[in-house]
């Protein structure tokens, strides 16, 4: 089961704690910037709709320029943090899979010859090369984006509830 898989990879993952910590800190930074991005747009939309007249000072162009700059900084920061997170997680995944392959190779060397007589070499190659590589692909290519998307959705729901809980509940009901 899943618990056995987690237990099996615990030791190699512990050795990569720095890279994993970097990946998760960058991931949470990416999520934070993604949640902040809409707020500078609020100033632009309010200005264009005429709703911001009492809120914007006389230098409305300066506020709009600052809002545009904030959007660019947030998007660039999110892209950089996303890159750092992906690279750190991929590197940690590569190191873990190398360790798993080495452990598997040592295990294969300890097996009796009778095992190799009744097991096809193609099955062993698939296990050593293919299955472990697919495991790494799933962790880096599927689980990380899924985790980012779920945490972003949770953050957006919390912000919506904080800003206007009645409208948020209506949107969640429609969702």
């Amino acid at each position: 089961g899943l618990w056995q898989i987690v237990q099996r990879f615990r030791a190699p993952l512990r050795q990569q704690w720095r890279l994993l910590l970097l990946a998760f800190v960058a991931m949470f930074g990416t999520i934070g910037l993604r949640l902040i991005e809409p707020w500078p747009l609020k100033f632009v939309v309010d200005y264009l709709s005429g709703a911001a007249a009492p809120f914007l000072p006389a230098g409305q162009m300066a506020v709009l320029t600052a809002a545009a700059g904030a959007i660019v900084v947030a998007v660039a920061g999110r892209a950089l943090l996303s890159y750092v997170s992906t690279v750190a997680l991929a590197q940690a995944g590569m190191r873990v899979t190398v360790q798993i392959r080495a452990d598997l190779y040592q295990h294969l060397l300890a097996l009796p010859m009778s095992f190799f007589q009744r097991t096809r070499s193609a099955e062993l190659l698939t296990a050593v090369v293919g299955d472990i590589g697919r495991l790494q692909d799933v962790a880096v290519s599927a689980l990380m984006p899924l985790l980012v998307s779920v945490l972003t959705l949770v953050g957006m729901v919390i912000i919506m509830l904080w800003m206007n809980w009645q409208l948020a509940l209506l949107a969640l009901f429609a969702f």
Side-chain angles (χ1 to χ4, degrees):
L2 182 61
W3 183 248
Q4 291 171 332
I5 293 172
V6 169
Q7 292 298 322
R8 174 64 188 99
F9 294 122
R10 178 186 277 175
L13 285 172
R14 255 194 205 146
Q15 294 172 355
Q16 303 306 320
W17 70 270
R18 287 183 184 96
L19 279 173
L20 292 172
L21 179 65
L22 175 64
F24 282 104
V25 167
M27 179 188 71
F28 283 113
T30 300
I31 293 168
L33 288 174
R34 185 172 284 168
L35 294 175
I36 289 172
E37 275 178 37
W39 268 311
L41 283 175
K42 176 189 182 311
F43 287 109
V44 175
V45 171
D46 286 350
Y47 173 73
L48 293 176
S49 68
F55 300 112
L56 291 178
Q60 294 174 348
M61 196 58 175
V63 172
L64 293 177
T65 303
I71 292 169
V72 169
V73 168
V75 169
R78 184 169 55 93
L80 177 67
L81 288 174
S82 179
Y83 173 77
V84 168
S85 176
T86 302
V87 168
L89 189 66
Q91 192 171 15
M94 187 72 68
R95 290 179 182 178
V96 168
T97 55
V98 165
Q99 182 64 44
I100 296 296
R101 282 187 178 122
D103 292 348
L104 183 59
Y105 181 70
Q106 289 300 320
H107 177 73
L108 287 173
L109 289 177
L111 291 174
M113 271 304 174
S114 61
F115 172 79
F116 295 102
Q117 289 172 345
R118 64 178 187 265
T119 305
R120 296 185 315 187
S121 60
E123 291 176 9
L124 293 175
L125 277 173
T126 300
V128 172
V129 177
D131 293 347
I132 294 173
R134 277 191 284 280
L135 186 63
Q136 178 189 358
D137 289 343
V138 166
V140 174
S141 303
L143 291 180
M144 186 70 159
L146 178 65
L147 183 62
V148 168
S149 296
V150 167
L151 291 176
T152 301
L153 179 64
V154 168
M156 286 181 179
V157 168
I158 290 170
I159 290 172
M160 286 173 32
L161 289 169
W162 174 67
M163 292 179 80
N164 187 337
W165 67 270
Q166 295 98 345
L167 185 59
L169 290 177
L170 182 64
L172 288 174
F173 178 73
F175 178 68

